[in-house]
Amino acid sequence: MNDTNETVLRIRGLEKTFDTGADRLTIIKDLDLTAPEGAQVAIVGESGSGKSTLLNIIAGLDTPTRGEILVGGRDITSLPEDGLARFRSKFLGLIFQFHYLLQDFSALENVYLPAFMAGEGRKSALERAKTCLEAVGMGHRMNHMPSELSGGERQRVSVARSLINDPRLILADEPTGNLDPANAAMIGELLFSLAGSYKKTLLLVTHDMELAGRAHIRYRLKEGKLQEEPLR
Ligand SMILES: Nc1ncnc2c1ncn2[C@@H]1O[C@H](COP(=O)(O)OP(=O)(O)OP(=O)(O)O)[C@@H](O)[C@H]1O
Ligand SMILES: [Mg+2]
């Protein structure tokens, strides 16, 4: 499982320093991480330990100070802006704590738009969006606007949206952070079971140890590095 083709994510010697004028804050120090195809990886860590910073760097939304980030065998740190946008659209599914659904578009349109923007025809993109919404149990609410959905339902739509372009890697930053315990458990179950059945590689960062407990492997981000975190 560790030849380059099957290694979805390989990070070597990652460093991230923020220069804030008064301060130089090194948040990530010489960090390594490898995730083979189909792995489900959870990263836990205290608030401010750098979890979102790490995920944003992997998504190409932030740049590292130093280090190599290979996603699907390609070093994303050397991609130009348009190449990065294409990489995100084709390779990544992103889920955040806040759903970021477009308020003026229905659930179906929110899920269909990333496929349409990636160049797929309207009819087939709509068909696939319906299939993704059915997979998250939202087939009956497809024509509702985000404001007409509950927090848990909106996050289910976000999960459907993250799957629409058939990504190899799903990155989730506190996907249950805004939800009550029952909805958090439901989204956790959905995310891991869909990642399993569609054989997606899943990397999530969370405070929620129950959610992290569902992953194949857990790490704790502490003092800029990852250490394996046993199940308690
Ligand atoms: N653009 C920035 N400029 C300066 N410092 C930053 C910047 N972005 C993040 N930081 C700092 O980096 C550290 C890590 O932030 P990050 O958001 O990655 O933490 P986190 O582990 O995701 O925390 P939480 O669990 O609260 O979401 C924090 O101390 C934060 O203040
Ligand atoms: Mg965060």
Side-chain angles (χ1 to χ4, degrees):
M1 281 285 272
N2 52 17
D3 107 35
T4 315
N5 287 334
E6 294 183 346
T7 301
V8 174
L9 176 65
R10 185 190 299 271
I11 299 176
R12 288 282 171 270
L14 181 66
E15 184 179 310
K16 179 65 180 177
T17 298
F18 288 112
D19 251 318
T20 59
D23 261 326
R24 268 176 72 79
L25 286 174
T26 298
I27 302 299
I28 293 172
K29 286 175 212 157
D30 198 20
L31 179 147
D32 298 331
L33 175 66
T34 300
E37 190 96 61
Q40 298 180 342
V41 181
I43 296 177
V44 299
E46 286 178 6
S47 181
S49 59
K51 304 181 299 298
S52 296
T53 302
L54 175 62
L55 230 58
N56 288 341
I57 291 173
I58 298 169
L61 298 167
D62 199 350
T63 51
T65 307
R66 186 170 301 126
E68 183 184 75
I69 301 172
L70 296 174
V71 189
R74 178 194 297 174
D75 188 351
I76 62 155
T77 59
S78 57
L79 284 178
E81 207 36 62
D82 57 337
L84 265 179
R86 259 199 313 279
F87 151 75
R88 274 196 293 273
S89 147
K90 298 228 180 278
F91 207 97
L92 292 184
L94 297 174
I95 304 169
F96 299 96
Q97 177 169 1
F98 182 71
H99 56 76
Y100 293 116
L101 297 176
L102 302 169
Q103 294 304 318
D104 297 334
F105 292 89
S106 69
L108 180 60
E109 289 164 334
N110 266 284
V111 177
Y112 133 92
L113 274 170
F116 184 66
M117 306 286 273
E120 185 170 350
R122 184 178 151 78
K123 195 157 172 262
S124 90
L126 277 172
E127 278 313 307
R128 288 195 318 101
K130 285 182 189 165
T131 307
C132 288
L133 281 161
E134 278 156 9
V136 300
M138 288 294 288
H140 60 308
R141 305 295 297 273
M142 289 192 289
N143 296 315
H144 289 236
M145 305 302 275
S147 60
E148 297 166 338
L149 301 173
S150 73
E153 288 167 343
R154 283 179 210 143
Q155 202 59 319
R156 282 200 257 172
V157 175
S158 304
V159 172
R161 182 184 53 183
S162 79
L163 291 168
I164 185 74
N165 283 342
D166 196 24
R168 277 182 76 196
L169 176 61
I170 298 175
L171 300 175
D173 189 348
E174 295 283 3
T176 63
N178 270 341
L179 303 176
D180 60 71
N183 271 302
M186 182 269 290
I187 288 291
E189 171 65 31
L190 190 63
L191 201 49
F192 279 98
S193 71
L194 288 176
S197 54
Y198 292 123
K199 300 193 168 46
K200 302 296 178 199
T201 308
L202 175 63
L203 175 62
L204 69 85
V205 305
T206 184
H207 282 115
D208 179 344
M209 291 307 287
E210 207 169 301
L211 183 65
R214 295 176 183 267
H216 299 148
I217 183 158
R218 274 159 303 287
Y219 296 102
R220 175 168 295 275
L221 182 54
K222 195 174 175 188
E223 291 163 7
K225 287 189 191 295
L226 293 174
Q227 57 195 43
E228 271 197 50
E229 170 85 359
L231 257 188
R232 275 170 238 264

